[in-house]
């Protein structure tokens, strides 16, 4: 790596100067090493190289983080405003309250855990319009009855940015943001 090569050159230049030799041109250097020697003799070379590395990465990091944040913001906005998603949640609420409490009255409804949405297909009814009728079938039938064709394309249209937002790793974003803070503090201290 260039950093290691420059450090070796700096050490070589320092040892040549310590022996009373001419520090501007230590012996046995190749042409490329002679070209890099002035850079190696800079004071605080590692700090300068780190600052250059930060500057080189900064724009790409900013673009990536900004894009990920925009995807998350768009997905959250879509989740809050989707009429189809509200209809799905309302249908699940009705089913949950009927199955668990024998009640479908809106004024007596009890909340359900959102993770139960992942298990709608596994929830099989003992009786239904066809064999293997599940909670997911119930929700779809209710949506089609209440919203017709709008429900079929509604979620995909309402939640267009969800797929992109699912690819965002919040842990990676936290690490990248922390790295930016560390780099920013380093630059301020320099």
């Amino acid at each position: 790596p260039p950093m290691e090569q420059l450090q070796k050159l700096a050490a070589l230049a320092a040892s040549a100067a310590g022996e009373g030799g001419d520090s501007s041109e230590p012996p046995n250097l190749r042409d490329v090493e002679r070209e890099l020697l002035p850079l190696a003799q800079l004071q605080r070379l590692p700090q300068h190289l780190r600052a250059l590395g930060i500057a080189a990465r900064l724009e790409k990091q900013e673009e990536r983080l900004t894009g990920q944040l925009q995807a998350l913001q768009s997905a959250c906005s879509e989740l809050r405003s989707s009429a189809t998603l509200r209809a799905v949640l309302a249908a699940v609420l009705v089913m949950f309250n009927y199955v668990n409490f024998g009640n479908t009255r809106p004024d007596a409804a009890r909340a359900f855990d959102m993770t139960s949405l992942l298990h709608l297909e596994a929830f099989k009814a003992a009786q239904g319009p066809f064999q293997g009728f599940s909670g997911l079938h119930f929700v779809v039938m209710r949506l089609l009855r209440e919203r017709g064709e709008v429900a079929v394309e509604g979620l995909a249209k309402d939640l267009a940015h969800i797929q992109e937002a699912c690819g965002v790793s919040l842990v990676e974003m936290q690490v990248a943001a922390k790295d930016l803070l560390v780099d920013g503090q380093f630059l301020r201290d320099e």
Side-chain angles (χ1 to χ4, degrees):
M3 180 67 174
E4 291 175 9
Q5 291 172 339
L6 289 172
Q7 287 173 335
K8 287 179 186 176
L9 279 173
L12 183 61
S15 69
E19 296 170 3
D22 182 10
S23 65
S24 65
E25 202 165 316
N28 303 327
L29 292 182
R30 297 177 299 172
D31 291 344
V32 73
E33 292 171 335
R34 283 192 217 296
E35 295 281 331
L36 292 174
L37 186 59
L39 187 57
Q41 291 173 332
L42 283 175
Q43 297 295 320
R44 302 170 38 82
L45 178 63
Q47 291 84 355
H48 287 280
L49 290 175
R50 182 173 173 196
L52 286 172
I54 291 170
R57 293 187 311 268
L58 187 60
E59 189 173 331
K60 187 175 180 179
Q61 285 177 317
E62 178 187 18
E63 285 176 13
R64 190 179 76 249
L65 284 173
T66 301
Q68 290 174 335
L69 285 172
Q70 286 173 343
L72 289 173
Q73 281 182 318
S74 296
C76 288
S77 176
E78 290 169 354
L79 286 169
R80 283 191 304 271
S81 63
S82 172
T84 307
L85 180 61
R86 265 195 293 283
V88 167
L89 294 175
V92 172
L93 183 66
V94 167
M95 181 182 72
F96 173 81
N97 278 279
Y98 179 75
V99 169
N100 291 303
F101 308 108
N103 178 22
T104 59
R105 290 189 349 255
D107 63 329
R110 297 186 189 181
F112 64 92
D113 185 349
M114 293 295 281
T115 59
S116 62
L117 291 172
L118 302 173
H119 307 289
L120 287 176
E121 189 175 5
F123 178 71
K124 304 289 183 190
Q127 294 178 346
F130 53 87
Q131 188 175 5
F133 187 76
S134 70
L136 184 59
H137 292 117
F138 170 81
V139 171
V140 170
M141 286 178 63
R142 186 173 173 105
L143 284 174
L144 289 173
R145 185 176 62 235
E146 291 176 2
R147 298 178 55 94
E149 286 299 313
V150 176
V152 175
E153 296 176 2
L155 277 176
K157 193 166 140 185
D158 287 357
L159 307 176
H161 292 92
I162 292 294
Q163 190 70 32
E164 182 183 0
C166 287
V168 173
S169 167
L170 295 178
V171 172
E172 288 177 17
M173 285 183 68
Q174 283 179 314
V175 168
K178 185 178 178 183
D179 289 346
L180 283 174
L181 288 172
V182 168
D183 288 345
Q185 186 60 49
F186 169 77
L187 292 173
R188 278 190 292 282
D189 292 344
E190 286 301 307

